[in-house]
């Protein structure tokens, strides 16, 4: 059931159905993380075809955090992250050449923006994904869509304020 749900609404899954959404209704604004490539590079993850999550989040993930969230990340708490924290996940295609996993074109940029008052139904985080990393192509129209598309998969991470990433020295 979970697998089926994720397949329907996951990252790749929502690229198609939500692509038809032309305008994002007022009230669910999650800002594009301008300049995030200059933030702190947290970690990376490669989700290959061997992963049950490939359909949803397949690709090479490079996670960044802004200065606001960095102290909490480095100390491993205390949670929750302070308002104003932004995590960005730069998702790229990759190819395997003679055993080396090589970064390719940008697939998407996802973010989690912490604002406990603004995003109460999704753990105090605003979730958004931009197709191809294009700031004019947000795909999550409102908080209700963010729940199945993003929040449910992050919910098991509740003790870490719904984030997966940890500081790796
Ligand atoms: C199938 C499960 C799944 C779904 C669905 C999912 N994520 Fe994630 N997300 C993950 C995993 C696993 C990581 C850890 C990535 C890493 O460590 O490199 C992650 C990491 C992130 C991060 C970096 C912060 C962190 O938690 O480590 C952001 C930002 C993020 N996801 C946003 C989103 C958004 C926005 C959506 C919906 C469009 C979404 N995610 C949907 C599993 C998921």
């Amino acid at each position: 059931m979970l697998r089926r749900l994720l397949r329907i609404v996951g990252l790749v899954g929502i690229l198609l159905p939500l692509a038809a959404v032309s305008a994002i209704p007022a009230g669910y604004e999650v800002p594009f993380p301008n300049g995030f490539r200059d933030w702190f590079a947290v970690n990376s993850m490669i989700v290959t075809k061997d992963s049950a999550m490939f359909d949803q989040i397949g690709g090479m993930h490079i996670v960044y955090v802004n200065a606001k969230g960095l102290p909490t990340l480095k100390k491993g708490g205390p949670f929750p992250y302070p308002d104003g924290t932004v995590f960005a996940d730069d998702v790229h295609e990759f190819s395997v050449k003679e055993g080396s996993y090589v970064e390719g074109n940008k697939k998407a940029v996802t973010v989690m923006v912490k604002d406990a008052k603004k995003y109460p139904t999704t753990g105090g985080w605003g979730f958004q994904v931009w197709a191809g990393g294009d700031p004019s192509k947000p795909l999550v129209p409102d908080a209700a869509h963010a729940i199945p598309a993003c929040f449910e998969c992050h919910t098991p991470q509740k003790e870490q304020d719904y984030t997966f990433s940890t500081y790796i020295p």
Side-chain angles (χ1 to χ4, degrees), residues 35-47:
F36 77 88
R37 295 280 298 259
D38 293 327
W39 297 355
F40 184 81
V42 176
N43 64 36
S44 55
M45 171 176 80
I46 300 173
V47 180

Side-chain angles (χ1 to χ4, degrees), residues 41-56:
V42 176
N43 64 36
S44 55
M45 171 176 80
I46 300 173
V47 180
T48 71
K49 286 199 165 70
D50 296 332
S51 168
M53 299 189 299
F54 182 79
D55 286 349
Q56 296 80 53

Side-chain angles (χ1 to χ4, degrees), residues 43 45 63 87 110-112 128-129 149-150 153-154 163-165:
N43 64 36
M45 171 176 80
V63 174
F87 279 94
T110 75
V111 301
M112 292 168 66
Q128 186 55 277
V129 53
C150 314
C153 194
H154 279 248
T163 61
F164 286 90
S165 291

Side-chain angles (χ1 to χ4, degrees), residues 64-143:
Y64 297 82
V65 69
N66 69 355
K68 189 82 185 177
L70 186 56
T72 308
L73 175 88
K74 279 197 163 173
K75 284 186 224 123
F79 300 112
Y81 278 94
D83 278 2
T85 296
V86 183
F87 279 94
D89 185 357
D90 199 21
V91 189
H92 284 249
E93 307 278 359
F94 67 90
S95 56
V96 187
K97 292 195 181 91
E98 293 164 16
S100 297
Y101 288 73
V102 180
E103 184 171 344
N105 291 337
K106 202 184 281 282
K107 275 182 97 170
V109 169
T110 75
V111 301
M112 292 168 66
V113 175
K114 189 78 189 190
D115 186 330
K117 282 213 183 90
K118 194 170 171 189
Y119 309 112
T121 59
T122 46
W125 293 99
F127 286 85
Q128 186 55 277
V129 53
W130 289 268
D134 182 338
S136 70
K137 292 179 183 162
L139 298 177
V140 180
D142 51 34

